[in-house]
Amino acid sequence: MPAQNGTSQKIKSVLSLFMLTTGWLAAFIFQIALVSNLVAAEQGVLLTDDFESYADGQSIIASENWKGFEGFPGKVKPTAIVKNALGLDGSRALAVSHAEAFRTDGWGVRTQLTKPVSKGVVWVQCRFKPAKDWKTGTFFDLRGEKSKAVIARIAVAPFQEKGSKKTQMRWHSVFNKPYWRLYTKTPLEPRWYTMTARIDFDRKTYACWADGQTLGEELPLTSDAEFSHIYLGIAGTPDDPALIDQLIVSRTAPAGFTFPALLPEPEEDLIYRFAAVGDPQLGFGGFETDKVRFAHAIDQINRSGAELSFMLGDMVHEKRDLKLYDAMLELVKLFKQPYHYVRGNHEIPELFLRYFFRELHYSVVHKGVRFVVIDAEGNHVGLNDKQLDWIESEFKQAEKAGEEIVIALHVSPWQNNERGRGKYNQIGKGRDRLRAMMKQYKVLLSLSGHYHRALWHAQEEETHYLVLGGTALVSQGAFGWCDFDVYPDRIVVFQKPLFFAYETADAKQIHTSRGWLSYKELKAKHPYAQQGPLTIKRHRPVSK
C-alpha cells in the first residue's frame, strides 16, 4: 500500500503540473491571438459603407452613422436618400439632390470613424457619379472633429477654358491650407469615378488620385487635427441626383494601388549626392505660399541625403524688401547639410553680401568636384576681365587637381533656346570668353535658374547645360528641385517635382501650374525639356 500511495501521489503531481502548464500555454496562445487580432484590426478596415444595409428610399441624414446639412440656409434642405439599382453594378447608392444649386463645400453629408486616427498610413476611397447636368463642385474631405479642420481634400467641378465651349472636369488637391490648390484637368464623361487618398500621418503628407490620374503624391496636410470625419459635398437635382457608393477607410491599399518611391535610391557605387534648386523667389507668387513651398523642398532635400545644396539665384522677389531677406535666413536654417547661394538678378549685391555670403564669386570643392559659383545676373550686365581671370584660375586649379568642374550661375551661358534669345536672359559681355574657357577646361555641368520652366537640358561642346525650375508659385512652368548622384564615372540627374514622386525613366507627363502636360506636347515646343533621369559621363572619372 505505501508503494501504491507513493505512485498515486506522483501521478497527481504530474497531472497537476500538466494542467498548470496547459493553462499557461492556453493563456499564452490566447494572448498571441488577442495581439494578432488587434494588429489585424489596426491594419484592416476602419470604416466601410456600401449603403446595402439601408432600406430603399431611406434618408441617411437621420441614421446613426451619417449627419448633414445642419444650418442650411434654404427653406428646404437637400436630400440624401439611399436608392435601389443606382449604384455600381446595380447595387444601392446614396443619391444627393436639391431643387437648386448650393455650395457643396459648405453643406454636405459626413460620417465618423469609430476612433480618430493620427498615426501611420490610412487609405480612403470613395466612388461617385456626378449629375448629368452638373453645376456645382464635389468635395471629398478628410476632416477632424471641427468642420474647418480639413486635413486633406479631393475636389472637382465642371470647367471650361476661356474661349472654349468644351466642358472638362477640373480636379484640385490642396496643400498646407484648404485653399492652396493644385489643378488637374480630365475629360468629362457620364460615368462613375473613383477618388482615392493615402494619408501618411507620420510624415504629415498625403497623396491622392482620380481614377488612375495622380493629383498629388507628396502634399503637406492642411491641418494637424486627428482624422475623425469624412465629408462629402455633392449635389444634383431630384430627377438627376449625384451618386455616392463604396466608401472605405483602411490601413491597406485598395486593389491596384502601389505607392511609388518619392526619392531615387542610389546605386552601390555612389560617392555622394548633392541638390540644386532654381529660384525660391519669396514674394513672387505670394509670400506665405512661397515660404511653404521652399520649406517643403528643403525637407525633401534633407530626406534625400544630399551632402550639399545650391540655390541658383533669386532667393527674394523684391530686391530691396528686407523682410524677404530675413525670411530666407530663417528658412535656410532648415537645411541639415551645407547650402550655398548664387546671386540672381533680384538680389542687390550689397544686400546679398550682407545677408547671404561674403563673396559674389567663390568656389566649393567636395569629394573631387569643384563647384565654381559665378555672379551672372543677365540683361547684358556682363562679366569683366577681373571676374573672368578669377574663373580661369579656378578652372586651372581644378584641372591640376583632377577635379570635375561644375559651374553655378543664375543666368545660363547657353542661349540657343526660346528664353535665351532675349537680352534679359543673356549674360552679355564676357560670355564668349567664358564659353571658350568652359570648352578648354572641360566644364562638365552648368547649373542655372531664372527661366521658371521645367528642367531644360542641352549639350554643347564639352558642357551639359541644365536650367532648373524653382519653387516660387508662377503662372507657368513646373516646380521642384534636382538631385545629382555623383559616381566614379558618371553623374545621374533626377527631377523631383515639389508635390510628386521623382521622375522615373517611364515619365510621360509633367505637372505645371496649369495641370498635367504630356512630354510629347511639351517637347514639340521645347525639344530641350528633359524627360526622366539624365546620365552624364564624367570628363575626369575617378576610382571610388
Side-chain angles (χ1 to χ4, degrees):
M1 290 298 293
Q4 290 179 351
N5 288 339
T7 302
S8 299
Q9 196 67 30
K10 288 180 181 179
I11 292 173
K12 288 180 181 180
S13 299
V14 170
L15 287 172
S16 297
L17 181 60
F18 175 79
M19 292 175 68
L20 183 60
T21 303
T22 304
W24 287 343
L25 183 60
F28 180 69
I29 293 172
F30 175 79
Q31 287 178 339
I32 291 176
L34 182 61
V35 171
S36 298
N37 288 336
L38 289 173
V39 171
E42 181 71 9
Q43 294 177 343
V45 174
L46 305 178
L47 181 150
T48 182
D49 203 336
D50 58 8
F51 305 103
E52 295 300 314
S53 61
Y54 300 90
D56 181 36
Q58 180 180 348
S59 171
I60 66 160
I61 296 175
S63 70
E64 181 181 348
N65 298 325
W66 290 86
K67 307 295 178 187
F69 303 118
E70 296 97 330
F72 188 76
K75 293 182 179 180
V76 180
K77 288 183 178 182
T79 60
I81 297 172
V82 175
K83 291 192 175 182
N84 278 339
L86 294 184
L88 285 155
D89 303 323
S91 62
R92 289 175 180 163
L94 180 64
V96 183
S97 63
H98 193 253
E100 297 179 358
F102 62 91
R103 287 196 57 171
T104 47
D105 60 339
W107 289 279
V109 295
R110 68 186 188 281
T111 187
Q112 184 172 350
L113 300 179
T114 304
K115 182 180 178 182
V117 178
S118 59
K119 295 180 180 180
V121 172
V122 174
W123 290 80
V124 186
Q125 189 175 80
C126 184
R127 312 291 179 92
F128 92 100
K129 187 177 182 181
K132 295 175 184 176
D133 186 19
W134 192 16
K135 298 186 184 307
T136 60
T138 293
F139 289 83
F140 179 38
D141 287 356
L142 313 183
R143 297 184 175 182
E145 185 69 30
K146 297 181 179 179
S147 62
K148 291 185 178 181
V150 176
I151 299 167
R153 167 175 285 171
I154 302 174
V156 61
F159 173 76
Q160 287 184 340
E161 296 278 6
K162 187 177 181 179
S164 174
K165 295 182 179 180
K166 182 181 179 181
T167 302
Q168 305 176 76
M169 300 180 78
R170 186 167 73 165
W171 301 83
H172 76 257
S173 52
V174 296
F175 62 95
N176 287 91
K177 295 183 184 296
Y179 48 85
W180 288 356
R181 299 178 174 183
L182 217 61
Y183 288 109
T184 295
K185 286 170 281 191
T186 63
L188 174 59
E189 300 170 351
R191 62 175 179 83
W192 284 92
Y193 293 86
T194 303
M195 299 181 291
T196 307
R198 177 190 184 272
I199 306 91
D200 188 333
F201 288 100
D202 299 333
R203 187 167 286 170
K204 299 185 184 302
T205 60
Y206 77 103
C208 53
W209 299 263
D211 294 334
Q213 176 62 64
T214 304
L215 306 180
E217 289 168 322
E218 196 171 5
L219 297 158
L221 299 179
T222 56
S223 171
D224 291 329
E226 292 183 317
F227 172 36
S228 59
H229 288 75
I230 295 171
Y231 171 89
L232 290 161
I234 187 171
T237 64
D239 296 328
D240 182 22
L243 304 173
I244 298 170
D245 201 1
Q246 294 187 0
L247 171 66
I248 184 169
V249 182
S250 177
R251 288 288 187 180
T252 55
F257 278 89
T258 302
F259 189 63
L262 295 173
L263 295 165
E265 285 291 331
E267 298 176 44
E268 288 186 2
D269 56 340
L270 177 76
I271 299 175
Y272 72 97
R273 171 176 284 178
F274 73 91
V277 59
D279 314 39
Q281 208 152 340
L282 301 184
F284 190 14
F287 178 56
E288 293 300 327
T289 185
D290 288 340
K291 284 197 302 180
V292 164
R293 295 160 73 92
F294 187 51
H296 194 42
I298 294 174
D299 176 67
Q300 294 170 355
I301 290 169
N302 288 338
R303 288 191 289 107
S304 77
E307 295 185 12
L308 68 165
S309 300
F310 292 86
M311 294 168 279
L312 300 173
D314 285 359
M315 280 64 72
V316 304
H317 183 58
E318 295 293 338
K319 57 180 66 179
R320 298 184 184 276
D321 189 343
L322 300 186
K323 179 185 74 172
L324 303 181
Y325 288 84
D326 288 330
M328 178 56 67
L329 290 183
E330 288 301 311
L331 283 167
V332 296
K333 292 177 182 178
L334 299 173
F335 278 111
K336 294 183 178 179
Q337 297 294 337
Y339 54 88
H340 305 281
Y341 299 100
V342 176
R343 190 179 78 87
N345 59 298
H346 282 264
E347 284 90 36
I348 297 174
E350 307 90 81
L351 292 179
F352 180 92
L353 293 169
R354 185 198 308 176
Y355 278 86
F356 297 148
F357 196 63
R358 63 183 178 274
E359 301 287 348
L360 298 176
H361 298 271
Y362 62 96
S363 65
V364 177
V365 179
H366 188 75
K367 295 183 178 179
V369 178
R370 181 175 293 257
F371 298 90
V372 181
V373 175
I374 300 171
D375 185 48
E377 67 174 82
N379 203 26
H380 280 214
V381 171
L383 298 169
N384 60 43
D385 289 339
K386 182 179 179 181
Q387 292 170 322
L388 291 165
D389 289 344
W390 175 85
I391 293 169
E392 184 166 21
S393 71
E394 289 291 323
F395 289 176
K396 286 181 177 179
Q397 290 179 61
E399 182 181 57
K400 184 177 181 180
E403 297 162 346
E404 206 68 73
I405 304 174
V406 175
I407 64 171
L409 64 175
H410 185 58
V411 172
S412 180
W414 169 53
Q415 296 178 177
N416 188 25
N417 61 74
E418 176 194 336
R419 302 279 286 172
R421 297 185 186 105
K423 176 183 175 183
Y424 180 72
N425 300 316
Q426 293 180 349
I427 292 173
K429 182 182 177 181
R431 180 253 183 187
D432 291 344
R433 182 182 165 189
L434 174 62
R435 286 283 304 245
M437 291 190 299
M438 291 169 66
K439 178 180 179 181
Q440 178 183 350
Y441 295 100
K442 295 186 177 181
V443 172
L444 181 65
L445 288 177
S446 168
L447 307 180
S448 299
H450 191 58
Y451 286 1
H452 295 282
R453 294 294 187 269
L455 177 65
W456 286 3
H457 166 253
Q459 181 179 5
E460 292 183 356
E461 297 173 326
E462 302 293 337
T463 303
H464 290 265
Y465 294 88
L466 293 170
V467 183
L468 282 67
T471 59
L473 180 60
V474 295
S475 60
Q476 299 186 55
F479 314 105
W481 55 279
C482 284
D483 169 293
F484 296 80
D485 286 356
V486 180
Y487 294 93
D489 61 342
R490 66 200 185 281
I491 294 179
V492 183
V493 186
F494 295 95
Q495 296 186 66
K496 175 59 179 75
L498 196 57
F499 299 114
F500 300 88
Y502 79 98
E503 274 200 7
T504 57
D506 59 353
K508 299 292 190 298
Q509 57 183 355
I510 183 172
H511 197 274
T512 72
S513 56
R514 299 180 181 182
W516 287 100
L517 182 65
S518 74
Y519 266 114
K520 183 178 180 181
E521 182 181 353
L522 179 61
K523 290 175 78 70
K525 185 177 181 181
H526 304 305
Y528 26 77
Q530 177 59 34
Q531 181 177 2
L534 172 66
T535 300
I536 297 171
K537 185 178 179 181
R538 291 183 61 163
H539 291 319
R540 299 176 175 93
V542 298
S543 299
K544 186 174 179 181

